[in-house]
Every structure is written in structure tokens, then in C-alpha cells.
Amino acid sequence: GAVVSQHPSWVICKSGTSVKIECRSLDFQATTMFWYRQFPKQSLMLMATSNEGSKATYEQGVEKDKFLINHASLTLSTLTVTSAHPEDSSFYICSANLNWEKLFFGSGTQLSVL
Amino acid sequence: AQKITQTQPGMFVQEKEAVTLDCTYDTSDPSYGLFWYKQPSSGEMIFLIYQGSYDQQNATEGRYSLNFQKARKSANLVISASQLGDSAMYFCAMRASKAAGNKLTFGGGTRVLVKP
């Protein structure tokens, strides 16, 4: 079946550094991918919609300069958390469309900023 | 605007029994899809079942079935013959038509703990 791969699974970084998270659709092309953030014991909150070949669409309240999204190919979207701070520590998860009914998720990335 | 409500923050269920997870939604869009996902402690989101707003029959996938009541705007998930491995968070989600940007909006989730 369709698979979405997300790397890394977890990352620990120092405050002020940048972290890149990759999301790949392994056996299908995804013109649109989505990035979510999840705090402990909470639901998933959509951060942005990543569009292949164009700028990402950010949800209200999400800093586009803080969370850089690049969707350079039909199978890869990246999320870069720039100048990370402890409050950016969270679980980040991506998803990609196979079709309207099938939306698959990556395994998520746990980010801890010290 | 879309809204998904899951009123049960957590529940226990006895192994081998059935459990119903509630989900209500609100949208002005006539075309939408309803999804249920399972999130175990590992964090991955596992797709369980899908129901389209125009589907005439309730969706079923193995032990999972969706009780779709369109007039009440509810899409409850029924898990039959619960297993210990069903212990997880369960999220109801909705996706409106393409005009709404294909976004998937999630409910707050329900934590299920299956007791042996």
C-alpha cells in the first residue's frame, strides 16, 4: 500500500539551531502534503499545506519565517524549524494525498529543543 | 468553518466487547468526507475507515464500522470484538470539498483502553 516516510523520527537540538524534517511519498506522487503539530495529549493542528512547485499555505497564527516549507518535487516536502526554541518542542507529522479518500501519514518526528 | 467534536476524552472497554466512539461534525459544505484514525503510543496515524457525505451505506472495514447519521451530523465509530491492541487514541476527522483546500480537520480525540 501507499507509504509516507518521515525522517528523522526524533531529534534533539540546541536552542537557536535549525532542524529539517523530511516527508516523502514512497510509491505515489503527491502534489499536496500537509504538516501538522501535536502537543502531548492533544489533537493534531494543521500548520500548513505544502504545494509542489509553489509557496506553502500557512494556517493562521503559524509563523512562515519560523517554519519553512519546501516542496521541491512530487515526492518530497521538507519542514525546517528555524532558530528553534524550547517552545517549538513538539511532535510534527506530515501527510500526503493518494486521492480524496486516501490520506496517509508519516510516522512523525518528536522534536526536543534544549 | 469546519468543526469536529469528540465528547469522550477517554473510555474503558472490556476485551471482546464492542465500543462506540462518538463524533459530531459541522460544515456548510454539502460535499465532505469523514475519517477515523488510530494513533497508538508510537505516534503514527493509522487510517481506519472513510465515509463520503453522499455514500448511501455506512462504511465498514473489518471490525470497524461507521454509523453515519447525516441529519444529525454524526459519524460514530464502532469497534467490534475489542482487542488489547485496540488501546490507543482515536481521532475523527473531516475533509470538505476542494474549495476548502482539501484540509483535514481533527476532533480532540478519544483515548480507548481495552481491559483484559
Side-chain angles (χ1 to χ4, degrees):
Chain A
V3 177
V4 174
S5 174
Q6 186 173 342
H7 293 281
S9 299
W10 56 271
V11 58
I12 301 173
C13 69
K14 292 183 178 179
S15 185
T17 60
S18 294
V19 174
K20 180 184 284 188
I21 304 169
E22 292 189 348
C23 181
R24 294 180 185 271
S25 56
L26 295 184
D27 51 1
F28 65 100
Q29 294 182 333
T31 56
T32 303
M33 293 185 180
F34 301 91
W35 287 96
Y36 293 84
R37 183 174 183 176
Q38 186 180 29
F39 290 106
K41 298 184 179 181
Q42 294 188 23
S43 187
L44 280 72
M45 296 297 295
L46 180 65
M47 298 175 65
T49 302
S50 174
N51 304 299
E52 188 271 334
S54 65
K55 291 183 179 181
T57 304
Y58 289 82
E59 295 299 301
Q60 191 172 10
V62 178
E63 300 176 61
K64 58 182 67 177
D65 294 330
K66 161 68 97 174
F67 300 101
L68 299 180
I69 291 173
N70 184 281
H71 196 149
S73 77
L74 287 171
T75 60
L76 174 64
S77 175
T78 61
L79 168 68
T80 301
V81 183
T82 63
S83 186
H85 291 283
E87 58 265 28
D88 298 324
S89 298
S90 186
F91 187 70
Y92 295 87
I93 191 166
C94 68
S95 67
N97 287 336
L98 175 62
N99 53 43
W100 172 257
E101 297 179 15
K102 301 290 187 183
L103 196 152
F104 295 97
F105 284 81
S107 55
T109 298
Q110 182 64 52
L111 170 64
S112 296
V113 184
L114 304 178
Chain B
Q2 303 174 121
K3 187 176 181 181
I4 295 281
T5 302
Q6 293 179 253
T7 58
Q8 306 153 309
M11 54 197 310
F12 289 97
V13 58
Q14 199 65 42
E15 190 179 12
K16 300 181 183 178
E17 292 187 350
V19 60
T20 298
L21 307 183
D22 295 339
C23 174
T24 58
Y25 60 92
D26 189 23
T27 181
S28 57
D29 202 310
S31 176
Y32 52 89
L34 296 157
F35 302 75
W36 277 92
Y37 286 87
K38 172 185 178 181
Q39 187 180 41
S41 56
S42 58
E44 61 187 312
M45 293 290 285
I46 302 169
F47 168 78
L48 297 178
I49 198 166
Y50 168 84
Q51 178 85 44
S53 59
Y54 293 119
D55 293 343
Q56 295 297 315
Q57 293 188 332
N58 287 344
T60 61
E61 291 281 355
R63 294 188 297 113
Y64 304 106
S65 60
L66 199 150
N67 184 3
F68 181 44
Q69 298 188 40
K70 194 170 182 178
R72 295 184 177 183
K73 293 189 174 181
S74 73
N76 298 340
L77 176 71
V78 180
I79 306 173
S80 62
S82 296
Q83 303 171 357
L84 296 179
D86 293 335
S87 295
M89 279 291 289
Y90 288 82
F91 291 99
C92 179
M94 178 174 64
R95 195 179 200 189
S97 70
K98 294 180 180 179
N102 288 324
K103 300 176 186 179
L104 198 63
T105 302
F106 285 87
T110 296
R111 181 170 295 280
V112 173
L113 183 60
V114 180
K115 298 186 293 183

